[in-house]
Amino acid sequence: MTVEEAITGRRSIRKFKTDKVPREVIEHILDAAQWSPSWGNTQPWELYVLTGEPLEEFRKANHMKIINGEDYKTDIPIPEIWPDHLKKRYGEIGKTLLSALGIPREDKESRNKFYEEMAQLFGAPCMIIACIPRASAVEYALLDVGLVVQTICLLAHDRGLGTCIMAAAVGYPELLRSIASIPDELLIVVGIALGYPDGAAPINAFKRVRADTSEVVTWID
Ligand SMILES: Cc1cc2nc3c(=O)[nH]c(=O)nc-3n(C[C@H](O)[C@H](O)[C@H](O)COP(=O)(O)O)c2cc1C
């Protein structure tokens, strides 16, 4: 697989097979991802890999919180205001996901079921939690952690694995802190659900869109 094929072929996976991912495979991916660039080679990310019983404990507890309607208390504030053109794209992916699942917008019950699936990491047998030190200059560390997260996803895709980067996995940081023994000194940024994709699922196969480069690139020449 070329780098370009990995970049254009990776997509968020929202239904996983239950097959476990061998630890050596995850270790290999994380070893390679260490070569991601960062401000001054600081490599500010700290990664926690959850599998097995601790992951099941998390899945159940995160699900319960969603069922109980608990508000997210993310370490990194969830943006509430978007410029119009970004808000439009955000709205479109929401609609596309529901239509791939055959859920009409007004079917609140089915929509909630999907959010419950999301809270349970779409059945992924592994989750990587990406953190940065609370004390570091947060803005650049966030950029750095984004680079390593994308690198992990591309390496996983290259090995036939699927990923979904998930804010929904870190909505309740205290839950993760207690299950994964993540210290208070770390900000929990995002989770990556990892596993083998269920290739037959429509939610993993709908046509994705991107803005044309003319909308995001300005040439000055
Ligand atoms: C920081 C971040 C948080 C995300 N959180 C979620 C999430 O909670 N649930 C989800 O289903 N997808 C989540 N996604 C996946 C995006 O929806 C997805 O990357 C985007 O729609 C582009 O689709 P693609 O990854 O298939 O190319 C997240 C992505 C990023 C980068």
Side-chain angles (χ1 to χ4, degrees), residues 118-130:
M118 194 182 292
Q120 297 173 84
L121 310 171
F122 304 117
C126 177
M127 169 166 71
I128 299 171
I129 308 163

Side-chain angles (χ1 to χ4, degrees), residues 10-12 14 93 97 118 122 164-169 190 208 210:
R10 181 218 56 85
R11 58 179 299 145
S12 294
R14 296 187 175 88
I93 181 65
L97 287 175
M118 194 182 292
F122 304 117
C164 189
I165 303 169
M166 297 186 70
V190 82
R208 297 172 307 141
R210 286 295 193 267

Side-chain angles (χ1 to χ4, degrees), residues 191-209:
I192 309 174
L194 175 77
Y196 293 99
D198 179 340
I203 193 73
N204 291 339
F206 61 86
K207 188 173 177 297
R208 297 172 307 141
V209 291

Side-chain angles (χ1 to χ4, degrees), residues 88-101 103 105 111 114-115:
K88 187 163 168 279
R89 292 176 195 156
Y90 194 5
E92 274 160 11
I93 181 65
K95 279 187 225 151
T96 306
L97 287 175
L98 293 181
S99 98
L101 290 161
I103 300 174
R105 181 99 197 111
R111 261 194 293 145
F114 175 63
Y115 295 127

